[in-house]
Amino acid sequence: MNRKFDAIIIGTGQAGPSLAARFAEAGMTVVIIERHKFGGTCVNTGCIPTKTLVASAYAARVARRGAEYGFAINGDVTVDMKRVKTRKDEVSGRSNRGVEEWLRGLKNCTVIQGHARFQSSHTVVVNDEVLQADKIFINVGGRASVPAMPGIQDVPFLTNSSMMDVDFLPGHLVIVGGSYIGLEFGQMYRRFGSEVTIVEMGPRLIGREDEDISEAVRQIMEAEGIQVRLNAKCIKLAKRNSRIAVGIGCDEGPPEVVGTHVLLAVGRTPNTNDLGLDRAGVAIDPRGYIVVDDQLQTNVAGIWALGDCNGRGAFTHTSYNDYEIVADNLLNGDHRRVSDRIQAYALYTDPPLGRCGMTDAEVRKSGRPALAAKHPMSRVSRAVEKGETQGFIKISVDAETKHILGAAILGTGGDEVIHVLLDVMYAKAPYTVVQRAMHIHPTVAEFLPTVLSNLQPVA
Ligand SMILES: Cc1cc2nc3c(=O)[nH]c(=O)nc-3n(C[C@H](O)[C@H](O)[C@H](O)COP(=O)(O)OP(=O)(O)OC[C@H]3O[C@@H](n4cnc5c(N)ncnc54)[C@H](O)[C@@H]3O)c2cc1C
């Protein structure tokens, strides 16, 4: 016999649990299904554990720079990876348990552990049980991509998930992929004490960013002793006794690098291949992402897709925003849309990169008249006082409407300060609001009015 609910939610990532709580509160009967760890990627193998590790790595870095700040540590700064992992597990575990306890404590909400698959557009099977609902919400997230590169079957490799079990210091960590995840792990493990090489297929790191950002981040990595190998066109893997050789075939430099461990950080794959989507008639794109409209409805009435699996965002905040859009539209009769949100994210290297809106390249491509300004962090007094002067602030605005088009803050506090500009963008206010605001001294944000007073036409 089918068990009938008002809503079925598949996955407990960043959208599913909040949606379950909101529906349950509204008096709907809900079932939420999780096949692995409650809280999904962010909580267990993504944001929370990695940022906890980044904090340990930052502390080790500051300790090693003690002499610059006027203190000495008697003896070398060595990192106890078991304790680093224990700290990470505690922080991440608290969130994981919190999500599970929260869901299990909700009135009107049934929690099932198991792998869910569609049987039809209104039914889902889990642990041989058939669940039925008129509304089904897919929040299945994604996993690390493992491309079929030569030799991949012959060597052990790590992903962001298996990195979570590492409680030792790899002698030489070779990271394939020079984008957001690879850079965070790379700097963190260098600071823990590993030798680190980042191998990137493209001509620069974080190829989606502007060239000046890629270049500044490369310099930041190399200044800490991280080897960066670009243009690695034909990456291949092979065993070399107890080590692993990563063939690079770069235009310059040795053709391979031999490390003790390899981390693959070459993108994400949506968890949509074993979900029975064909039985429900739900359309996916060629990369496996579920096709959704501006309100996150799939092509099948009554089925929505939220979070990383819909290809409309790859962040915790985009997944959570998906939840808000769906819940407000269904429960409050709102008309919220994905296209209303402004692109924003951070890269959690040290210093971090905070980003919002368009890149310079996108601004130029748009062909609109624009003004832009750039200011080095070495001329931001708070950064000088903290001894953290790497990076820069840059902002571009529309010359006619005076609206902020985009900004990047690569520098201390950049992940927080960027919100000053982001919120003005949401307010659709002119940049002069920030330019004329009195900001607090000494902060990084106090320089935003100065930067905005130096805008020049974009060529
Ligand atoms: C290393 C790393 C660092 C990151 N750092 C950041 C960061 O700093 N900031 C940020 O915003 N984002 C970050 N992200 C991205 C962020 O983690 C994801 O965007 C976020 O978790 C959103 O995921 P989601 O809600 O789509 O689903 P997920 O969190 O991926 O959860 C999906 C859940 O669905 C379950 N599931 C899948 N299939 C089934 C099925 N058939 N049946 C039942 N359950 C199923 C899975 O087990 C999983 O628990 C990071 C990602 C990684 C990998």
Side-chain angles (χ1 to χ4, degrees):
M1 228 182 57
N2 295 1
R3 273 168 88 188
K4 195 158 180 349
F5 297 88
D6 293 325
I8 297 173
I9 300 172
I10 307 174
T12 65
Q14 292 301 306
S18 300
L19 202 58
R22 192 91 171 261
F23 286 161
E25 237 169 67
M28 290 165 63
T29 54
V30 186
V31 57
I32 187 163
I33 308 150
E34 173 54 56
R35 70 174 179 190
H36 190 41
K37 290 188 175 173
F38 286 88
T41 309
C42 179
V43 164
N44 299 292
T45 60
C47 340
I48 292 181
T50 56
K51 269 80 255 183
T52 308
L53 293 169
V54 162
S56 290
Y58 177 77
R61 166 86 172 157
V62 172
R64 289 196 189 99
R65 292 180 65 199
E68 287 176 52
Y69 294 96
F71 67 89
I73 289 184
N74 297 321
D76 286 344
V77 174
T78 53
V79 175
D80 180 341
M81 288 304 291
K82 287 200 165 38
R83 284 170 65 184
V84 166
K85 178 176 178 293
T86 299
R87 177 175 183 274
K88 182 268 293 176
D89 288 343
E90 278 168 9
V91 174
S92 170
R94 260 200 303 278
S95 276
N96 162 263
R97 287 189 300 279
V99 173
E100 179 168 4
E101 284 162 17
W102 177 39
L103 289 172
R104 292 198 189 280
L106 288 175
K107 212 174 134 205
N108 298 335
C109 181
T110 303
V111 178
I112 300 182
Q113 282 233 258
H115 186 114
R117 291 179 186 87
F118 281 90
Q119 190 187 57
S120 73
S121 59
H122 289 301
T123 51
V124 165
V125 179
V126 55
N127 306 334
D128 294 329
E129 193 177 2
V130 181
L131 312 171
Q132 188 184 338
D134 290 339
K135 293 185 176 66
I136 303 181
F137 303 86
I138 309 170
N139 179 218
V140 293
R143 59 185 184 277
S145 299
V146 180
M149 51 180 69
I152 190 89
Q153 312 287 1
D154 308 329
V155 300
F157 60 84
L158 295 156
T159 65
N160 70 290
S161 298
S162 47
M163 281 301 283
M164 295 300 118
D165 300 325
V166 172
D167 65 354
F168 57 89
L169 195 63
H172 183 173
L173 181 63
V174 182
I175 300 176
V176 181
S179 203
Y180 309 90
I181 292 174
L183 289 169
E184 289 180 13
F185 274 114
Q187 188 183 47
M188 158 202 317
Y189 270 83
R190 180 70 192 134
R191 291 175 170 197
F192 289 152
S194 295
E195 206 182 317
V196 172
T197 303
I198 298 178
V199 177
E200 165 57 41
M201 284 177 88
R204 55 194 177 89
L205 297 175
I206 35 174
R208 256 177 273 159
E209 302 298 337
D210 286 322
E211 281 180 33
D212 55 352
I213 293 177
S214 294
E215 178 55 22
V217 169
R218 186 175 67 81
Q219 286 174 14
I220 289 164
M221 295 291 137
E222 289 182 341
E224 295 191 26
I226 295 169
Q227 302 287 323
V228 177
R229 301 294 310 274
L230 304 172
N231 296 307
K233 293 278 184 280
C234 47
I235 298 172
K236 54 184 185 214
L237 305 166
K239 272 213 173 113
R240 281 279 186 290
N241 303 320
S242 62
R243 297 167 80 92
I244 304 161
V246 180
I248 298 170
C250 294
D251 302 340
E252 50 195 65
E256 70 173 25
V257 52
V258 181
T260 54
H261 297 81
V262 170
L263 164 62
L264 287 189
V266 288
R268 309 279 298 164
T269 301
N271 290 325
T272 53
N273 55 321
D274 189 14
L275 201 51
L277 288 174
D278 49 336
R279 285 192 289 275
V282 173
I284 53 172
D285 74 10
R287 293 163 63 214
Y289 289 99
I290 298 172
V291 179
V292 290
D293 65 14
D294 214 13
Q295 300 196 321
L296 302 165
Q297 286 226 70
T298 67
N299 61 310
V300 177
I303 303 182
W304 288 256
L306 303 87
D308 288 10
C309 68
N310 66 23
R312 303 291 286 266
F315 300 100
T316 280
H317 46 277
T318 48
S319 180
Y320 189 78
N321 187 247
D322 283 359
Y323 138 69
E324 292 180 319
I325 290 170
V326 169
D328 285 351
N329 290 352
L330 286 176
L331 297 175
N332 299 348
D334 224 325
H335 293 96
R336 294 183 65 172
R337 296 172 307 177
V338 179
S339 54
D340 289 337
R341 67 189 179 209
I342 298 166
Q343 159 116 298
Y345 52 87
L347 162 71
Y348 292 91
T349 48
D350 171 33
L353 168 70
R355 275 271 302 112
C356 67
M358 299 163 102
T359 61
D360 289 353
E362 286 165 344
V363 170
R364 278 196 300 272
K365 202 170 155 206
S366 76
R368 70 181 84 203
L371 306 171
K374 191 169 170 180
H375 188 93
M377 293 300 288
S378 57
R379 283 175 40 219
V380 172
S381 45
R382 188 69 198 281
V384 174
E385 290 146 13
K386 291 171 82 175
E388 297 181 353
T389 55
Q390 291 164 314
F392 50 79
I393 300 171
K394 63 174 188 171
I395 310 172
S396 49
V397 306
D398 188 301
E400 282 164 5
T401 64
K402 292 190 166 49
H403 287 155
I404 296 171
L405 296 173
I409 305 180
L410 174 66
T412 184
D415 50 334
E416 299 286 350
V417 180
I418 197 74
H419 289 89
V420 174
L421 302 169
L422 181 62
D423 289 344
V424 172
M425 289 172 81
Y426 273 112
K428 296 188 171 54
Y431 75 83
T432 47
V433 170
V434 183
Q435 188 194 16
R436 293 175 187 187
M438 183 186 76
H439 282 184
I440 298 164
H441 173 76
T443 59
V444 174
E446 78 175 317
F447 274 82
L448 296 177
T450 307
V451 180
L452 288 167
S453 297
N454 290 317
L455 292 166
Q456 299 295 327
V458 171

